[in-house]
Amino acid sequence: LRIVKPPKEPEFYSIWRLLVNIATQDKSENIPPNVAGDFMRSILDGTPYSETLLQSALRRIRSDAENRVKPVRAALIKAYLNRYLRAHPNKKEKEIEMALDTEQPSIGYQLGRLFAVLEKIQEEASPGLNATIRERYYGSACSSPVTVFGTLMRLKNHHLAKLDNKGRAVNLEKLVSEIVGHFADFPTHLDLHEQGRFAIGYYHQRQDFFVKKD
C-alpha cells in the first residue's frame, strides 16, 4: 500500500478508509459486504485480493469525475496489482513502484502518464479552467484509448501553442515524446489490470509534477 502522496495524507490507511473510498458516493453504508469480507480474508490468509476489489475501485474512479484517482485509491490498486503479480509471476510484467517509474513496461501505465501530461498542458495553457480533460475523457481514455487519444493529441498542439513560456512548452513536448516512445499504437481496449495500471500511471505522473526538481 505504500505510495507517494501529499504530506497531509496518513502514512497508512485503515481497512475502513480503503473500502469507503471505493464505495458509491464514498459512503460506508454502500460498501458491498462481499467485498469487505473477501478483502479481510485475503489480508488474514495472505492471498491475492479479489478481482471485485479492483472492479469496485475502477468503477468509483470513473464515477468520481472531480477527484478520480485519490491517493487512497491509487494505494489500493497498487496493492492489488502487486499482490496478484506475486501470486502469478509473469516475466513480461513488473511490480508497481511507490513513485513514478518511467521504465514500467505496462502500456496502461504509460497511457495513464500520457493522460496526466496532456491534462497538465491544458491546465497551464488555460489557467482557472472549471473542467479539464479529466472530467470529460478519463473513462474513455482508460478503457478504449484509441477512441480519444487522437483527439487529445491534437488538442495538445493547440494548448502548447498558447503557452507563453516556450522553454516550458519544449520540455512538455519532450515528456510527451518520451512516453509515446514506449508503445507503437493506441490500443483499442485495456483489460481490468491495465486499467488499474493506467490509474497508477496517471496518479504517479500527477504527483511527480508536484515534486520540486533540482
Side-chain angles (χ1 to χ4, degrees):
L1 284 162
R2 285 184 182 277
I3 198 160
V4 62
K5 54 193 166 195
K8 65 179 189 298
E9 290 288 310
E11 184 179 2
F12 301 108
Y13 296 113
S14 66
I15 293 171
W16 175 82
R17 177 97 181 264
L18 289 163
L19 291 172
V20 82
N21 272 280
I22 61 169
T24 306
Q25 297 178 314
D26 290 2
K27 291 184 176 177
S28 51
E29 60 264 31
N30 294 331
I31 296 172
N34 62 313
V35 172
D38 290 345
F39 188 41
M40 194 67 211
R41 197 171 296 114
S42 296
I43 292 167
L44 296 173
D45 294 344
T47 52
Y49 300 128
S50 77
E51 195 171 88
T52 320
L53 192 74
L54 178 62
Q55 289 170 340
S56 299
L58 294 174
R59 194 180 302 119
R60 186 68 191 104
I61 288 169
R62 276 196 293 271
S63 65
D64 187 1
E66 190 177 341
N67 296 302
R68 296 296 188 199
V69 193
K70 288 179 174 179
V72 59
R73 292 176 191 150
L76 185 59
I77 292 172
K78 171 182 176 277
Y80 171 91
L81 291 169
N82 284 356
R83 192 177 268 227
Y84 182 90
L85 190 58
R86 286 170 194 180
H88 306 90
N90 182 341
K91 288 181 180 175
K92 292 180 181 176
E93 294 181 8
K94 181 182 177 187
E95 281 201 8
I96 303 290
E97 305 275 347
M98 268 186 67
L100 182 65
D101 177 11
T102 57
E103 298 306 315
Q104 169 60 243
S106 155
I107 189 167
Y109 185 91
Q110 297 296 345
L111 286 170
R113 287 184 64 207
L114 179 59
F115 192 83
V117 175
L118 296 178
E119 182 186 22
K120 181 71 171 167
I121 291 170
Q122 183 188 28
E123 286 172 345
E124 293 194 11
S126 307
L129 268 184
N130 288 333
T132 65
I133 59 170
R134 178 177 68 226
E135 281 78 11
R136 187 173 173 192
Y137 291 108
Y138 182 94
S140 306
C142 177
S143 54
S144 314
V146 75
T147 61
V148 295
F149 268 103
T151 302
L152 294 178
M153 292 295 275
R154 284 192 297 276
L155 278 173
K156 176 258 303 177
N157 296 332
H158 168 69
H159 293 140
L160 281 173
K162 287 169 68 177
L163 288 179
D164 293 329
N165 184 337
K166 297 309 170 190
R168 177 64 172 158
V170 168
N171 286 336
L172 287 166
E173 187 70 86
K174 279 182 182 173
L175 185 52
V176 168
S177 300
E178 177 262 308
I179 296 169
V180 173
H182 289 280
F183 53 88
D185 296 300
F186 293 115
T188 53
H189 174 74
L190 293 181
D191 64 26
L192 277 180
H193 283 210
E194 285 299 327
Q195 288 181 37
R197 293 187 188 99
F198 182 102
I200 303 288
Y202 171 77
Y203 175 81
H204 274 169
Q205 188 65 60
R206 288 286 298 176
Q207 289 300 308
D208 193 65
F209 285 133
F210 298 122
V211 176
K212 282 195 171 70
K213 300 292 189 292
D214 292 332

